[in-house]
Amino acid sequence: MSRFAYALRAGTALAGIGGMALFAAPAMAQDQDDAAQQGAGSEIVVTGSRIARPDLQASTPVAVVTAERIQQTGASNIQDVLATLPAVGQNVSRTSSNFSNTGNGTATVNLRNLGSSRTLVLIDGRRSLGIAGSSAVDVNNIPTDLIERIDVVTGGASAVYGSEAIAGVVNFVLKNDFQGLRVRAQNTLSDKGDAARQYVSITGGQNFGGGRGNVTANFSYDNDHGLPSRNRSFSSTDIPNRSSYAAQGLFDVSNVKTQSAFSPTSGRTFTFDGANNLKGYESPNIDGYNRNGDRLLSVPVERYQGAVLAHYDFSDAFKLYAQGQYTRTNSNASLEPSAIANTGAGAALNFDGSAYAGIPISSPYVPAAVRAAAIANGVNVIQFRRRSNDIFSRSNQNERDFYRGVIGAKGQFTAGTNWSYDIYYEHSESRDHTTAQSIYTPNYGAALNNEIGPDGQVRCSDAAARAAGCVPMNIFGFNTVSAAAAQFLQKYTGPTRNVTLIDGNTVQLVNGTNVAYDYLAKVNQDVVSGSINGDLFSLWGGPIAISFGGEYRHEKSTEIFDPFTQAGLSAGNQITNTQGSFNVKEGFFEVVAPIVEDRPGLHYLGLEGAARYADYSTVGGVWSFKGGATFAPTADIRFRGVYSRATRAPNIGELYSSLSQTFPAIKDLCDRGAGKGDGAPVGAANPACSNIPGTSAGSFVYSTAQIQGIDGLLGGNPNLREETADTLTAGAVITPTFFKNFSMTVDYYTIKVKNAIGIIGQQVSVEQCINTGNPLFCNNVVRDSSGFITRVNALNLNTGSFLVSGIDVEARYAIPVGASRFDFNVQYNHRLKQQQTPFPGGPVQNELGQADCYSCGRLGSGFKDKAVANVTFSAPKFQLNYRMDYMGPLTDNLGDEDAQRISAYFYHNLQGKIIVGGKQQMELYAGVNNLLDTKPPVFGDTNTVTWPGTQTVANTYDLYGRMLYVGATFKF
C-alpha cells in the first residue's frame, strides 16, 4: 500500500483530505501497521498540480482508485474499473467496437461525456500516445497489475498539462519501487459457460546499490474470448425484422421508376427456400437473414504486455530514471457477410466501373419463372439483393503494437533546499494493422452478365472481362457461387492503371493483386519536458511554492488504406489516406500560496494559479489558465473553488483526415418536384430560391438521376481553430473532528466548450443556406451552373458548443471492530445539464435523461443520477467486498411521443478473499459481477439507441450477465 493511500485512510489523517475524493478500500488489517511505519505526511504530487504538498490540500477534486480497489472489481482490463466511476461517461470498448473498421476492442476513457479526445490520459504525470489521428488513448496499453493508483481529476486542467484536458485528467501512477515477487492468475467465466477470460501477471522488483536503486518489471497475459450475440436471448435475433439481404438472394422485376421494389405483397419479388426451390418473397422474418447470428456483443481481445521501470539515485542532486513498455493487442470483429445489390454503397459495378443496372434477363442462370415475370412486367433487368456467404468474409483482424520509453533525471539543486528539477525525454509509437477479405466490385457485375458461348458453356458477356479471366457467377439460391467465381471476384485482373481519387491524388491498381481491405496506421510521439519547483517566502502560512518549465512535443500519424478502398472499388466505404503531423512548444507556470495557516478563527486560507502558453505549428499560440482558492475556517470543513480556461488544439484526424464520399438522401427546398424525381408534379416555387446566383425559383425540377447523383465529402479541415472551455468547480470537504473516521466532499462543476469541432449535417446545410444565406452553411453546398445541387459536404468545422454541469458527492466512513474494520464508500453524481448546440444560433439539444445512440452524435447517456457504493469488511486473514452500481432512469428519445422509458438499473457485485501465510503468502479470492444477472433494456434495430448486434445501448449497460471469477496471488 502506498503512503498516499494510507494517509487518506487513517482516521487521524482525515482532516488532511483536502481536495481528495477517495475511491479506495482499506488494506487487510495486518497491512495497516506496516503502512504506518512508512510514515504519513510525505510530500505527494497530487494530479492536477505539479507542486508537491505534504497536506494534500488540493483545490480541485481528485478521485483516487487504488490497486486494491482494482483487484476487488475482478477486472483485468482497467477500463472496466474506470467505467464504474460516476464521472466517467460512455467509452469505446469491447462491447461497442465490433462494427468499427479499425481499432476493434480499443478501450478509451471519457470524462463528463465530453468525448475521449477531451480527456487527457497520463502515465506517471506524462502524456501517453493517442490512437491514430486522435488524442484519445487506448488504455489497453496500461498494465493492470503495475498500477499503484489512478488519479482522476474532473474539470479543466489545461493550464497544468496542456491540450485535451478539457473534461479532466486520468493519471496512471505505476509501481516504480517494487521489492519481491508477485504472481497473480485469474479465470473468469459467465454462469452460462461463455465469455471466458484468462489473466496471468508476474511482477518482480529488486533494490540495489544499498537501496539507492530499484528495477521493477511486469509481464502479463490477458485473453478475453469475447461474446457472440447469439449467446444471449435479448440479442440472438434481429428485432423486429431480419435483413432482406438474404443468403439465397432476393430478386425483383419491378419497374423502379413507377413501382416499389422488394415488396412482399407485390408478387414481383422472388427468393428460394431451404431446398433451393424458387418461391415468392413472403417477409424478412421468413425469408431474410438473421445478422445477429454472426455478430458479437463483445469482441475478443488478447494482450501481451511487458514493462520495466528503473531508477538510481547517484545523489540527492542527480537521480536517473527510465521506463519501457510494450503491448501487443490482438482483436477481431465478427460481422455478417457483406450485402451486395445493384444499387447503393458498395454495389456491384459494370466491368468498366459504371453503374450496374441489374442482372440481364438473358443470363442463362435466370430462372424461367423470373424471366417470364420480367417480360410480362416490361423490364429487361432484374434488381437483386444478396448476402456474400459463399463468396468472402468481411470480418476483420487487428494487430496492434505499442512502444513507450522514458528516460529522465531529477534532483535537488542544493542539498537541504526545496528547489528541485525534473527533465525527461519520452518516445512513444504504435502500429495498427487491420485486414479483411473484400471483392473488386466491377468484377461482380461482369460475372453476373452472362451468355452461352460458342462451345455451349456459360461465359461472361463482356469481351474485356473475359480477357481478364472473368468467371460467370450464379447467385440464384443458397451456396450457388463456385469457388472459381469467388476467387475471380477477389482478384484484380485488369490492366495496371492509375485511378484519380476524390481528394485529387492518384492510386495504382496492379494487375494480379488480391483485393482485400488493408489498413496500416502508425503514430509517433516525442516529448521533451523540464520543470523546476521551489519555495519562495512565507506570508502567514507555509512557504509560497512555485513550479515552472517548458515542453516540446512532436506528433506524426499516418493511416494508409489499400488502393481498392481508396478508389471506392471494393465492397465497403471509399476512404482515402490520412497523413499529418504537428509540433507544439509550451511554457507553464504554477503557484500555490498558503496565505494563512493555523491562526485563531482561521485554519487555512490559500490561493493558487497557473498559466500555460502553447505555440502550435497548426493553430498558433493559445493560452490556458486557472485560479483557485481554499478556505478552511476550522479543521472540520474546507471550502474550495477553481475557475479555469482550458483549450484543445485540433488533432491530426480532425485537421487532415482523408476525404470519404457519401451519397446522402438530400432534399433541395428549391426542388419543385418535392424530391420525387421523374414524373413528379410541379409544386409552387420557393421565393428564397430566386436568390441563388444565375437561376430562378421556377427552374428547379430534379430528375431521379439527379437526386441519386448528389454526393458529399466527409473529412478533415486544415483551417480549424482550437476549442476553448470555461470550467468551474466549487465545493466543500467535511472532515468533522467530532465524528471520527468520517469524511464527505460535495462539489459543483460546470464545463462550457466553445468552438467545438464537428460537422454540420448535410440536410441542415442545404436548408440553412436557403433560409439564411450564411456562408457557414452555403460553403458546404455545391450547385451547378443551372442551380441544381451536385454535392453537399460535411467537413470538420469549429461550429458547436457543449455544456455539462452537475454535483459530485463522495462520503467515507470506517468502523473499527477489534482487529477488523468495516469501510463504507459512496460516490454519487447528480447531473444538472448535458446539452449541445450544433451551430451558432442553432437549436439546443438537451440530452439530460436521454440514452446514448449509435452513430447519431449524442454526447453519451445523460444520467441524471449515477452512483457507486462499496462496503468492505477486513479481518486479519479475510476480506469481503460488496459493490453496488446505480444508473438512473433514461428515455431512448426525448420529445418522441412513443419514447421508450428505461427504468433505473442496479448492479450487485461481490468478492471474498482469504490469506494464507505470512511474509510469503498466498491470497485466494473469488467473486461474482452482476450477481442478479440483470438484463439490459431491449430495443429494435431501427431505434437510434441500438448498437448493431446488441439490441440495446451497448456502451452503457452490462451485456454479459452474471460473471464468475476465481484467482490466486502469490507473494514472495
Side-chain angles (χ1 to χ4, degrees), residues 629-713:
T630 303
F631 168 60
T634 70
D636 297 320
I637 189 167
R638 181 182 301 271
F639 300 98
R640 60 190 180 186
V642 172
Y643 168 80
S644 68
R645 167 63 60 87
T647 59
R648 185 181 79 89
N651 56 47
I652 291 173
E654 291 165 336
L655 290 165
Y656 309 117
S657 65
S658 58
L659 293 177
S660 60
Q661 187 178 29
T662 62
F663 289 87
I666 294 299
K667 178 182 177 181
D668 187 355
L669 300 186
C670 298
D671 181 9
R672 297 181 65 191
K676 297 179 181 179
D678 302 322
V682 177
N686 186 334
C689 300
S690 60
N691 297 326
I692 298 173
T695 64
S696 64
S699 65
F700 287 85
V701 179
Y702 282 74
S703 67
T704 299
Q706 286 175 310
I707 294 172
Q708 295 176 344
I710 298 173
D711 71 353
L713 300 181

Side-chain angles (χ1 to χ4, degrees), residues 74-89:
S76 55
N77 191 307
I78 198 63
Q79 183 193 54
D80 296 339
V81 181
L82 292 171
T84 65
L85 295 176
V88 176

Side-chain angles (χ1 to χ4, degrees), residues 93-347:
S93 68
R94 306 184 305 281
T95 61
S96 64
S97 58
N98 184 51
F99 269 73
S100 299
N101 289 329
T102 63
N104 306 98
T106 297
T108 63
V109 184
N110 171 19
L111 291 177
R112 303 298 191 202
N113 270 344
L114 287 174
S116 299
S117 62
R118 297 180 184 91
T119 297
L120 180 60
V121 174
L122 306 175
I123 301 176
D124 285 331
R126 306 177 187 97
R127 280 181 171 269
S128 187
L129 186 70
I131 299 167
S134 171
S135 55
V137 171
D138 184 2
V139 298
N140 279 317
N141 299 321
I142 310 296
T144 303
D145 269 21
L146 200 58
I147 297 172
E148 178 73 21
R149 72 176 196 270
I150 309 169
D151 295 348
V152 181
V153 180
T154 53
S158 288
V160 177
Y161 296 109
S163 187
E164 285 87 52
I166 282 180
V169 172
V170 178
N171 184 22
F172 294 90
V173 180
L174 304 183
K175 300 172 181 175
N176 63 0
D177 215 2
F178 191 85
Q179 178 76 3
L181 180 66
R182 182 177 187 268
V183 180
R184 183 164 80 96
Q186 179 178 306
N187 188 55
T188 304
L189 194 68
S190 80
D191 66 346
K192 300 169 183 62
D194 54 19
R197 306 172 193 168
Q198 292 86 37
Y199 179 76
V200 177
S201 173
I202 302 172
T203 306
Q206 180 64 50
N207 292 332
F208 63 92
R212 292 188 295 173
N214 179 272
V215 175
T216 299
N218 172 264
F219 170 79
S220 62
Y221 173 74
D222 180 21
N223 188 14
D224 185 332
H225 295 244
L227 180 63
S229 299
R230 60 180 177 272
N231 284 24
R232 294 294 180 268
S233 59
F234 63 84
S235 60
S236 60
T237 59
D238 288 350
I239 301 173
N241 297 306
R242 297 184 177 189
S243 171
S244 63
Y245 287 82
Q248 74 276 18
L250 210 60
F251 307 95
D252 192 274
V253 296
S254 299
N255 184 327
V256 294
K257 291 185 178 181
T258 60
Q259 298 171 324
S260 60
F262 301 104
S263 171
T265 60
S266 69
R268 298 185 296 269
T269 305
F270 301 87
T271 188
F272 293 83
D273 63 18
N276 270 356
N277 297 310
L278 187 70
K279 56 167 285 191
Y281 174 52
E282 295 182 65
S283 73
N285 283 334
I286 295 176
D287 301 310
Y289 192 83
N290 179 28
R291 297 166 297 177
N292 284 3
D294 299 316
R295 294 172 171 178
L296 293 175
L297 286 174
S298 175
V299 301
V301 177
E302 183 182 38
R303 296 185 296 163
Y304 301 84
Q305 295 185 296
V308 178
L309 296 83
H311 67 86
Y312 186 78
D313 300 347
F314 290 92
S315 68
D316 289 342
F318 185 69
K319 302 177 181 180
L320 189 67
Y321 59 88
Q323 296 182 359
Q325 289 178 246
Y326 170 73
T327 301
R328 157 55 74 90
T329 303
N330 300 319
S331 185
N332 65 268
S334 180
L335 308 177
E336 68 276 10
S338 187
I340 306 293
N342 56 287
T343 59

Side-chain angles (χ1 to χ4, degrees), residues 484-519:
Q487 185 177 10
F488 168 68
L489 296 183
Q490 296 178 66
K491 180 169 287 190
Y492 174 66
T493 56
T496 297
R497 63 190 177 96
N498 292 327
V499 176
T500 301
L501 306 178
I502 56 177
D503 59 5
N505 294 316
T506 60
V507 67
Q508 189 176 68
L509 306 185
V510 179
N511 176 267
T513 303
N514 286 328
V515 180
Y517 175 82
D518 193 288
Y519 167 85

Side-chain angles (χ1 to χ4, degrees), residues 841-966:
V844 175
Q845 300 173 11
N846 176 33
E847 298 178 1
L848 187 64
Q850 182 173 247
D852 199 8
C853 59
Y854 179 73
S855 190
C856 77
R858 295 178 188 171
L859 294 178
S861 290
F863 290 108
K864 294 182 181 179
D865 298 287
K866 190 177 179 184
V868 57
N870 275 272
V871 180
T872 304
F873 174 73
S874 299
K877 296 291 184 179
F878 173 76
Q879 185 184 84
L880 182 65
N881 172 260
Y882 165 75
R883 186 183 86 249
M884 182 189 72
D885 300 312
Y886 170 78
M887 297 186 295
L890 294 174
T891 296
D892 60 348
N893 290 294
L894 292 173
D896 187 342
E897 60 181 14
D898 297 320
Q900 184 172 336
R901 180 176 170 81
I902 307 169
S903 61
Y905 266 67
F906 296 84
Y907 293 108
H908 305 274
N909 314 277
L910 194 65
Q911 185 191 90
K913 181 192 299 184
I914 60 172
I915 291 181
V916 179
K919 185 174 182 181
Q920 294 183 351
Q921 62 182 220
M922 175 177 65
E923 295 179 358
L924 301 176
Y925 62 92
V928 55
N929 288 329
N930 195 353
L931 178 66
L932 301 183
D933 195 23
T934 302
K935 304 295 190 299
V938 179
F939 303 90
D941 56 24
T942 57
N943 193 310
T944 58
V945 305
T946 300
W947 262 249
T950 71
Q951 307 300 153
T952 191
V953 194
N955 68 348
T956 302
Y957 298 97
D958 175 72
L959 306 184
Y960 297 99
R962 187 182 294 113
M963 296 293 291
L964 312 170
Y965 61 91
V966 294

